[in-house]
């Protein structure tokens, strides 16, 4: 599947003038300290973006300090969140600023009179705070603002306490409404100055990088989200019998595997994302190394391999599930000893269906779906779609250990 490939090649040229202007407008000056919030989301050239931001702060004579801004990720521990940043390449050596990690927060007000709003204590102890995040469709709800800058204010900069409050009161007020209300409190009551918002194309390359002042988030984030949705890569086929996902992980999607691709959410507010896709059986074959053992999302599958189970850090996974109130995502599906057995189980539990009639697709993960493997029965459907290039049919096979491989 071919998508538009336009992207920003020179990040410094695109970002430096805008960041310099935002720093000046924020009255960031000599000797002051600036917290730079960085989350756990996989972002194209993230260390370079963080370095560009930190260098701009240094040029102004101020001192940047990187703080993890990722809610409960990393097991909701200071050490775990530092490790998450390191796995993404965000270190002091790479980015030119020290990393200060703690889970301490300060209550800064309430939304809707009863929902507490928290903000990083480390960030508030400094003169200014900014953050970097990617804007993308959310895995729980659809709205003009979903997963990006406002969410970073409420959940990322709110640390574990903020994440708990956000998800708890979302069940009362709705995700979009609580996000807006908490965001307004954070903008009014903290030292937050501006954000660097990133939009990526279907190939995970930086399509847009915009510096958004605090007072313009409500105006500009919906436009960035619209751009992100227009460049979202999803499978061009619907109503699958079998979907095989070779790996899930937190850096791939906050939900481990993105419901916008799989069609499965199983949340209290959203039972499915079926307008995009549905699959009768879903199997997960592996867990990404960068996920650090957090296997959130495995519960949305029917089958997993023993490898997924063995690589899972159960405490990190249930911490994520409890914080986000996405309990189903931590359920443990049926465990199969090998990749071969997991895929076979998907086929054999469909009923008396000849294998050659099964509508099946294999993807690397839900972040990379421009290239995928499809069963031969889908070929006529795919041939009629624009921007699709098909290879000659070939067989998939398994090694002696039941691991999937392909051969011509």
């Amino acid at each position: 599947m071919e998508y538009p490939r336009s992207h920003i090649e020179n990040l410094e040229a695109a970002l430096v003038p805008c960041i310099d202007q935002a720093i000046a407008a924020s009255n960031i000056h000599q000797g002051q300290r600036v917290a730079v919030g960085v989350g756990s989301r996989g972002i194209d050239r993230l260390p370079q973006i963080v370095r560009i931001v930190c260098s701009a702060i240094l040029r102004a004579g101020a001192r940047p300090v990187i703080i993890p801004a990722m809610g409960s990720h990393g097991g909701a521990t200071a050490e775990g969140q530092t490790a998450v940043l390191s796995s993404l390449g965000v270190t002091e050596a790479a980015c030119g600023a020290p990393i200060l990690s703690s889970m301490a927060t300060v209550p800064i007000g309430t939304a809707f009179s009863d929902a507490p709003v928290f903000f990083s204590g480390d960030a508030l102890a400094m003169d200014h705070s900014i953050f970097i995040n990617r804007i993308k469709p959310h895995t729980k709800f659809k709205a003009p603002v979903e997963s990006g800058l406002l969410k970073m204010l409420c959940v990322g900069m709110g640390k574990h306490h903020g994440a708990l409050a956000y998800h708890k009161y979302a069940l009362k007020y709705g995700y979009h409404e609580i996000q807006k209300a908490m965001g307004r409190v954070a903008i009014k009551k903290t030292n937050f100055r501006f954000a660097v918002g990133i939009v990526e194309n279907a190939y995970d390359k930086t399509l847009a990088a915009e510096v958004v002042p605090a007072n313009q988030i409500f105006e500009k984030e919906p436009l960035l989200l619209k751009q992100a949705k227009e460049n979202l890569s999803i499978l061009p086929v619907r109503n699958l019998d079998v979907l095989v996902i070779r790996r899930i992980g937190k850096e791939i999607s906050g939900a481990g595997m993105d419901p916008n691709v799989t069609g499965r959410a199983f949340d209290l507010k959203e039972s499915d994302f079926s307008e995009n896709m549905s699959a009768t059986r879903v199997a997960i074959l592996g867990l990404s190394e960068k996920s650090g053992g957090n296997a959130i999302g495995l519960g949305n599958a029917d089958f997993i391999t023993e490898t997924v189970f063995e690589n899972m850090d159960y405490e990190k996974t249930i911490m994520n599930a409890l914080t986000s109130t996405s309990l189903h995502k931590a359920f443990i599906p049926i465990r199969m000893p090998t990749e071969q057995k997991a895929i076979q189980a998907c086929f054999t539990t469909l009923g008396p269906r000849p294998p050659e009639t099964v509508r099946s697709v294999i993807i690397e993960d839900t972040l990379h779906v421009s290239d995928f493997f499809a069963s031969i029965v889908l070929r006529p459907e795919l041939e009629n779609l624009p921007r699709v290039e098909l290879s000659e049919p070939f067989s998939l096979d398994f090694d002696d250990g039941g691991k999937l491989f392909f051969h011509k």
Side-chain angles (χ1 to χ4, degrees):
M1 187 78 179
E2 186 68 24
Y3 294 92
R5 291 181 177 271
S6 61
H7 64 281
I8 297 173
E9 293 188 4
N10 191 331
L11 282 173
E12 291 203 16
L15 278 174
V16 169
C18 301
I19 294 172
D20 286 344
Q21 183 179 2
I23 287 173
S26 302
N27 198 28
I28 296 173
H29 55 261
Q30 184 78 30
Q32 292 186 324
R33 293 192 303 164
V34 182
V36 180
V38 182
S40 54
R41 180 164 293 169
I43 298 175
D44 176 38
R45 295 174 284 180
L46 178 61
Q48 183 184 358
I49 295 171
V50 178
R51 186 173 68 251
I52 289 170
V53 171
C54 291
S55 296
I57 294 168
L58 288 167
R59 282 196 304 275
R63 293 175 291 162
V65 178
I66 299 167
I67 65 169
M70 57 186 75
S72 64
H73 298 179
T77 68
E79 298 78 14
Q81 296 200 343
T82 301
V84 170
L85 290 184
S86 179
S87 74
L88 297 173
V90 178
T91 63
E92 180 173 358
C95 301
I99 295 174
L100 178 61
S101 182
S102 80
M103 302 305 295
T105 59
V106 175
I108 59 172
T110 57
F112 295 121
S113 76
D114 61 345
V117 183
F118 298 90
F119 206 75
S120 163
D122 291 332
L124 288 175
M126 299 185 195
D127 299 287
H128 310 274
S129 62
I130 63 178
F131 61 75
I132 300 160
N133 203 25
R134 177 185 172 191
I135 294 92
K136 63 189 290 292
H138 205 283
T139 59
K140 288 178 179 285
F141 65 94
K142 302 296 184 184
V145 172
E146 296 179 15
S147 184
L149 306 185
L150 279 180
K151 183 183 177 184
M152 191 70 150
L153 268 178
C154 306
V155 178
M157 299 299 282
K159 301 283 187 172
H160 188 211
H161 291 143
L164 283 170
Y166 166 76
H167 289 98
K168 177 180 179 180
Y169 284 90
L171 299 180
K172 180 178 181 180
Y173 296 109
Y175 286 102
H176 181 51
E177 294 304 320
I178 197 65
Q179 183 170 251
K180 289 191 299 181
M182 286 184 162
R184 288 191 181 99
V185 173
I187 290 169
K188 182 178 180 180
K189 298 285 189 178
T190 72
N191 58 3
F192 169 61
R193 306 296 182 234
F194 64 87
V196 178
I198 305 296
V199 175
E200 295 185 359
N201 66 18
Y203 300 96
D204 314 316
K205 298 297 182 183
T206 306
L207 177 66
E210 185 162 346
V211 177
V212 183
N215 62 2
Q216 295 182 27
I217 282 184
F218 285 93
E219 172 191 349
K220 291 193 173 183
E221 184 168 1
L223 302 177
L224 293 170
L225 176 61
K226 182 176 182 292
Q227 191 174 18
K229 287 185 173 182
E230 289 170 349
N231 288 274
L232 180 69
S233 63
I234 58 174
L235 288 168
V237 288
R238 307 288 186 267
N239 304 317
L240 294 176
D241 298 311
V242 174
L243 174 62
V244 177
I245 303 168
R246 301 188 76 178
R247 62 172 190 162
I248 63 170
K250 284 298 293 183
E251 84 285 8
I252 295 166
S253 168
M257 55 181 189
D258 191 344
N260 291 287
V261 174
T262 68
R264 291 190 176 192
F266 297 137
D267 274 306
L268 291 176
K269 290 288 184 180
E270 297 283 356
S271 60
D272 60 60
F273 275 38
S274 58
E275 72 264 24
N276 286 334
M277 208 271 288
S278 63
T280 304
R281 293 285 180 264
V282 175
I284 299 170
L285 306 186
L287 181 63
S288 73
E289 184 176 346
K290 288 184 178 179
S291 200
N294 187 339
I296 195 74
L298 84 167
N300 284 358
D302 303 295
F303 301 100
I304 61 172
T305 62
E306 196 66 28
T307 298
V308 173
F309 183 77
E310 290 173 353
N311 290 336
M312 175 176 62
D313 184 317
Y314 192 58
E315 289 189 10
K316 287 183 180 179
T317 304
I318 61 172
M319 176 66 72
N320 195 163
L322 293 172
T323 301
S324 64
T325 65
S326 296
L327 306 186
H328 200 292
K329 287 185 175 69
F331 288 9
I332 299 176
I334 295 174
R335 294 152 49 189
M336 303 303 291
T338 65
E339 294 181 1
Q340 182 177 16
K341 294 294 184 183
I343 296 173
Q344 285 176 340
C346 287
F347 278 72
T348 58
T349 57
L350 291 173
R353 294 279 303 278
E356 62 272 15
T357 69
V358 173
R359 296 168 57 86
S360 59
V361 164
I362 301 173
I363 60 174
E364 180 66 21
D365 55 53
T366 59
L367 195 59
H368 304 95
V369 297
S370 58
D371 295 319
F372 59 90
F373 302 98
S375 57
I376 195 68
V377 70
L378 290 171
R379 189 177 184 93
E381 185 175 330
L382 291 169
E383 285 176 335
N384 291 324
L385 295 175
R387 300 182 289 120
V388 171
E389 181 179 341
L390 300 178
S391 69
E392 289 300 313
F394 60 89
S395 301
L396 61 86
D397 212 337
F398 303 89
D399 64 19
D400 292 340
K403 190 172 181 64
L404 176 67
F405 70 91
F406 303 89
H407 65 83
K408 296 287 180 76

